[in-house]
């Protein structure tokens, strides 16, 4: 088949939805013979019978069910076109497509995108996936920005740049009963009490997992791991239901307030880095530029604050 006649497919779709040629003809305002002929043309083009008589009506064949399933997707999407065209023509929609790597804390990602979330007529589209897959989408200009826990790889053909957006410490949180157990008289102090609690961890996709395991080794901690999650938001949901305690970047800790019953267990010196990767085209996207500038300013203010709180020593002459 060289091409598919979508008008014929539409007539078939209506016949299948209405359950017969007569009702389809009434709906479309056309002659029954015309619709019947168009559907037969579609069957000839596809090389398979799509409808068969049963009783006084028509039913779909196996081939017809497959065709109808795809037609349903096509024409349901088609029904959205007038609305989306009108919206695009009457409003200045600002679209931002962001890729989120599997290993990235999704709670931290929400905090990083906060500077642009109040943009009027924002259309934010978020995709999740492996870093290599997302970088391919970025190179094809299907994404404006990729947020990941690692910098851009050295690859001249990709023509991409990365910026460290945040570097924040990681804390441990957990449901109220487990945190209370850890704080009882006689309980071991944090972080050693983690050996006595069920622990949730990010999967090995995340750079944070390796950092936490090194931290465990430094403190000679053997945790009771009861769950591993690619998505930090999903991990926090299971934690809130009592499954265990879990690590989370302070950058995303504010969102934990949206989940009742979670409490801070302890703080660590483990650091999670978040990088923004963008192409030359993405750099010129106004929302990407705003986000990058906001993070640069935020990091500069943090560095300035740390310098003022801990002044460098001055040698006496």
């Amino acid at each position: 088949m060289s091409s598919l006649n979508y008008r014929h497919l539409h007539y078939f779709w209506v016949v299948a939805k209405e359950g017969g040629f007569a009702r389809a003809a009434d709906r479309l305002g056309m002659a029954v013979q015309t619709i019947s002929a168009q559907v037969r043309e579609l069957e000839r083009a596809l090389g398979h019978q799509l409808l068969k008589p049963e009783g006084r009506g028509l039913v779909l064949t196996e081939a017809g069910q497959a065709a109808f399933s795809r037609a349903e997707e096509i024409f349901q999407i088609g029904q959205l076109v007038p609305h989306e065209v009108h919206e695009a023509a009457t409003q200045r929609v600002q679209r931002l497509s962001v890729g989120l790597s599997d290993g990235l804390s999704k709670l931290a990602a929400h905090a990083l995108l906060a500077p642009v979330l109040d943009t009027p007529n924002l259309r934010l589209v978020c995709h999740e996936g492996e870093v290599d897959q997302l970088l391919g989408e970025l190179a094809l200009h299907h994404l404006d920005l990729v947020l990941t826990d690692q910098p851009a790889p050295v690859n001249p053909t990709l023509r991409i740049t990365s910026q460290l957006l945040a570097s924040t410490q990681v804390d441990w949180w957990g449901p109220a009963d487990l945190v209370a157990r850890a704080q009882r008289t006689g309980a071991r102090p944090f972080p050693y009490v983690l050996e006595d609690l069920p622990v949730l961890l990010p999967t090995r996709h995340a750079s944070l997992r390796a950092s936490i395991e090194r931290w465990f080794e430094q403190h000679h901690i053997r945790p009771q791991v009861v769950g591993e999650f690619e998505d930090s938001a999903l991990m926090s949901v299971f934690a809130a239901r009592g499954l265990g305690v879990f690590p989370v970047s302070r950058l995303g800790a504010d969102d934990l307030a949206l989940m009742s019953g979670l409490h801070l267990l302890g703080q660590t010196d483990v650091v999670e880095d978040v990088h923004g990767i963008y192409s030359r085209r993405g750099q010129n996207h106004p929302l990407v530029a705003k986000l990058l500038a906001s993070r640069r300013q935020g990091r500069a203010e943090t560095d300035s604050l740390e310098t003022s709180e801990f002044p460098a020593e001055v040698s006496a002459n």
Side-chain angles (χ1 to χ4, degrees):
M1 183 180 60
S2 59
S3 62
L4 178 65
N5 189 312
Y6 285 92
R7 177 170 295 182
H8 294 170
L9 182 65
H10 181 254
Y11 293 154
F12 157 74
W13 177 64
V14 175
V15 170
K17 290 181 74 71
E18 295 295 329
F21 287 110
R23 286 192 291 272
D26 288 340
R27 173 174 167 178
L28 296 169
M30 300 174 63
V32 172
Q33 294 83 353
T34 302
I35 295 175
S36 176
Q38 302 284 9
V39 172
R40 284 197 298 273
E41 285 293 328
L42 178 65
E43 290 178 323
R44 277 195 288 270
L46 294 174
H48 296 280
Q49 183 180 2
L50 304 178
L51 298 163
K52 63 181 180 181
E54 184 174 283
R56 296 185 176 181
L58 293 171
V59 296
L60 292 168
T61 63
E62 290 294 327
Q65 290 176 4
F68 177 76
S69 177
R70 288 300 184 190
E72 184 83 346
E73 294 178 33
I74 291 169
F75 295 116
Q76 282 185 353
I77 293 173
Q79 290 171 353
L80 298 175
V81 170
H83 169 73
E84 293 184 355
V85 169
H86 174 75
E87 185 180 65
T90 56
Q91 301 181 29
R92 296 191 62 183
V93 175
Q94 296 203 58
R95 182 185 178 91
L96 177 63
S97 295
V98 180
L100 307 174
S101 71
D102 287 339
L104 178 69
S105 167
K106 302 309 182 292
L107 293 174
H110 175 261
L112 287 168
L113 293 172
V116 301
L117 295 182
D118 60 352
T119 303
N121 301 319
L122 173 67
R123 176 72 58 82
L124 177 64
V125 181
C126 291
H127 300 269
E128 293 185 50
E130 297 283 350
V131 175
D132 290 344
Q133 171 199 347
L134 295 176
L135 293 183
E137 295 294 304
L138 183 68
L140 294 172
H141 307 304
H142 296 162
L143 295 174
D144 302 309
L145 177 70
V146 171
L147 298 181
T148 178
D149 56 356
Q150 53 192 277
V154 179
N155 188 338
T157 62
L158 288 178
R159 296 183 180 179
I160 55 177
T161 307
S162 64
Q163 175 181 317
L164 178 62
L165 301 181
S167 185
T168 59
Q169 289 177 273
V170 173
D171 299 330
W172 283 81
W173 288 67
D177 59 335
L178 293 182
V179 173
R181 185 202 302 181
Q183 295 174 345
R184 287 175 190 157
T185 302
R188 289 194 282 179
F190 181 85
Y192 306 102
V193 72
L194 291 174
E195 290 191 338
D196 306 322
L197 300 172
V199 167
L200 310 180
L201 290 176
T203 63
R204 298 187 187 280
H205 283 81
S207 298
L208 178 59
R209 173 65 176 267
S211 299
I212 291 173
E213 289 184 338
R214 287 194 296 270
W215 180 75
F216 283 150
E217 290 176 4
Q218 291 167 4
H219 291 83
H220 307 290
I221 295 171
R222 295 182 178 179
Q224 305 174 30
V225 180
V226 300
E228 300 180 50
F229 298 82
E230 289 186 355
D231 189 329
S232 61
L234 181 62
M235 182 162 58
S236 64
V237 170
F238 276 83
R241 296 297 184 181
L243 186 61
V245 299
F246 67 106
V248 63
S249 163
R250 288 183 193 173
L251 194 61
D254 288 345
D255 285 334
L256 294 181
L258 300 175
M259 300 181 188
S260 61
L262 288 177
H263 296 268
L264 179 65
L265 173 62
Q267 299 177 328
T268 77
D269 57 0
V270 177
V271 170
E272 181 179 35
D273 291 337
V274 182
H275 301 264
I277 303 178
Y278 50 91
S279 64
R280 185 175 301 174
R281 175 179 174 181
Q283 186 176 11
N284 294 324
H285 190 295
L287 297 185
V288 173
K290 179 179 179 180
L291 192 151
L292 296 176
S294 174
R295 295 312 307 174
R296 281 195 294 268
Q297 180 181 356
R299 286 180 58 79
E301 290 174 354
T302 300
D303 293 343
S304 175
L305 179 61
E306 290 176 350
T307 302
S308 64
E309 289 179 344
F310 304 101
E313 293 182 357
V314 178
S315 300
N317 293 327

